[in-house]
Amino acid sequence: MDLKELRQMTPDELSEKAKQLTQELFNLRFQLGTGRLENPMQIRKTKRTIARVKTVLRETEQADQKTAS
């Protein structure tokens, strides 16, 4: 997912996206444990995307706090 796309999302959408990605990461780890995962790099990509989503979410929270003060 592109950073520009993430920045255009609302905080609720970002939270939902983080939940979806966390569930996907769980499924990927489960597949890795059972030996069915074809591309182990998917785990790394998913972790990084989760970090990006959380970073953008935190930035929006800080921007909201700054404008409220």
Side-chain angles (χ1 to χ4, degrees):
M1 177 155 260
D2 192 41
L3 194 58
K4 290 180 184 180
E5 295 173 11
L6 291 176
R7 291 193 192 279
Q8 293 175 352
M9 297 174 100
T10 64
D12 292 334
E13 292 173 334
L14 287 170
S15 296
E16 184 62 32
K17 187 69 174 175
K19 288 178 188 176
Q20 290 172 356
L21 289 168
T22 304
Q23 181 65 36
E24 182 181 338
L25 182 62
F26 173 79
N27 291 335
L28 289 171
R29 285 182 174 156
F30 191 82
Q31 289 175 6
L32 182 66
T34 59
R36 296 185 316 145
L37 185 63
E38 293 179 14
N39 185 5
M41 288 299 291
Q42 270 186 307
I43 293 175
R44 185 180 200 180
K45 288 179 184 179
T46 305
K47 283 182 179 181
R48 288 183 178 189
T49 306
I50 291 170
R52 284 185 187 105
V53 168
K54 287 183 176 183
T55 300
V56 171
L57 188 59
R58 180 72 177 139
E59 287 174 353
T60 56
E61 288 174 359
Q62 286 180 340
D64 290 344
Q65 288 177 356
K66 200 174 226 184
T67 57
S69 295

